[in-house]
Amino acid sequence: MLPPYNIGHITLAGSSLANHYSRSADVVLRGYSGYNTRWAARVAGRAVATVAGAVAAVTVCFGANDAALPDRASAPQHVPVAEYRDNLRDICAMLHRRWPGVIVILVTPPPVDEDGRRRYPYAHDYSGLPERTNAAAGVYARACVEVARQCGVRAIDIWSRMQKFPGWEKAFLRDGLHLTPRGNRVLFEEVVFALKDANLSLEALPADLPLFGDMDPKDPAKSFDDDERAD
C-alpha cells in the first residue's frame, strides 16, 4: 500500500496518483479543507486509524492555512511558525509510531498569488487586502523543509518549484491559493519523483494480476494458475 496521500488538503493530485498506481498500490486520500496543523495534529491519528495493513509512504501537506496573516480575514486559521514546526514534528512522530519504517514526505505550502487573492476574497472580506502573502507562505515552506531535514524525512518544496515556471501565478493557482489542474499536475509529478527516489516507483512495484500483454489469449486461465495456488 502507498500513502494515505495526503494528510492535508490537496486531493486532485492524489486522484492522479491513485490512477497512476492503480494496478500496484492502493492510494488513500485524507483531505481536510481549511485545516491548519494545530487542528490536524489533534486528529491525524484518527484520520489514519481506518487504514489497515502495511503502509509504504505517507505525504503530509499543511501550511497554506497556518500561513494566513494573523491580522486579516483568515486570522482564525493562522498558526505561528514555531508551533507549525512542532505540529509537523508531532505528525511525523505519530506516523512513524504507527508504521515503523514508513516513508514520510512533507509537502510545503504552495506559493500565493496575491493579486488572485484580492480578486477572489472571502465573501465577508471587503478590505481589498490579501489575507495571505507569498512571502509569508515562503516562511512556512522553509520551515517545512527544515522540519523534514531534522526528522530525517523527505520534503517536496512545491513553493520554490512552482515559482521556477514563468506565469506560475495564473497557470498554477485558480484563485491565488488553490491549485489549477496544471498546478496539481506539477505536484503529482513531484510526488511521483519523490516516491521513485524512495524505491517506490511504478516499475519497482509488482502489478496486481497479470498484465494484458502477458496473457495467452488462447488459454487465459493459465495466467491465473499461480495466483490461485497462492490463495
Side-chain angles (χ1 to χ4, degrees):
M1 180 179 288
L2 274 169
Y5 168 90
N6 71 69
I7 302 176
H9 75 286
I10 300 174
T11 55
L12 182 58
S15 298
S16 297
L17 198 68
N19 180 66
H20 181 75
Y21 282 100
S22 61
R23 292 288 297 274
S24 301
D26 293 326
V27 176
V28 182
L29 306 181
R30 291 289 185 267
Y32 296 92
S33 177
Y35 272 47
N36 57 31
T37 56
R38 180 179 296 161
W39 306 328
R42 294 180 63 89
V43 301
R46 182 192 308 174
V48 301
T50 59
V51 181
V55 170
V58 182
T59 60
V60 179
C61 182
F62 285 105
N65 295 319
D66 298 66
L69 299 180
D71 59 348
R72 297 188 186 172
S74 295
Q77 293 175 301
H78 173 76
V79 171
V81 69
E83 182 186 345
Y84 171 72
R85 292 191 186 95
D86 290 342
N87 293 335
L88 285 182
R89 292 188 191 100
D90 289 346
I91 292 171
C92 288
M94 180 277 296
L95 293 170
H96 282 130
R97 286 194 303 270
R98 182 169 177 81
W99 297 300
V102 68
I103 300 298
V104 175
I105 303 171
L106 298 185
V107 183
T108 73
V112 172
D113 172 25
E114 294 163 34
D115 174 66
R117 294 313 301 148
R118 292 187 190 95
R119 296 176 60 191
Y120 299 97
Y122 289 119
H124 63 278
D125 180 18
Y126 303 101
S127 69
L129 299 173
E131 86 292 359
R132 291 166 168 80
T133 65
N134 196 40
V139 171
Y140 286 74
R142 289 186 289 275
C144 179
V145 172
E146 178 186 354
V147 169
R149 179 181 55 79
Q150 293 171 346
C151 294
V153 303
R154 287 171 169 78
I156 295 174
D157 185 358
I158 203 67
W159 184 84
S160 297
R161 176 62 175 156
M162 285 187 168
Q163 292 183 79
K164 293 181 179 180
F165 293 85
W168 61 268
E169 296 91 339
K170 302 299 186 286
F172 298 152
L173 302 168
R174 59 182 172 84
D175 58 1
L177 176 64
H178 299 95
L179 302 185
T180 63
R182 288 181 64 187
N184 272 284
R185 180 70 189 182
V186 173
L187 177 58
F188 162 74
E189 291 173 351
E190 290 296 314
V191 172
V192 168
F193 180 83
L195 291 172
K196 182 178 181 179
D197 187 60
N199 297 317
L200 292 172
S201 67
L202 188 63
E203 296 76 17
L205 299 174
D208 180 34
L209 297 177
L211 298 175
F212 169 77
D214 296 334
M215 296 174 63
D216 183 352
K218 296 180 180 180
D219 187 10
K222 71 180 182 182
S223 299
F224 307 114
D225 287 347
D226 290 342
D227 296 289
E228 290 173 354
R229 285 195 291 270
D231 291 339

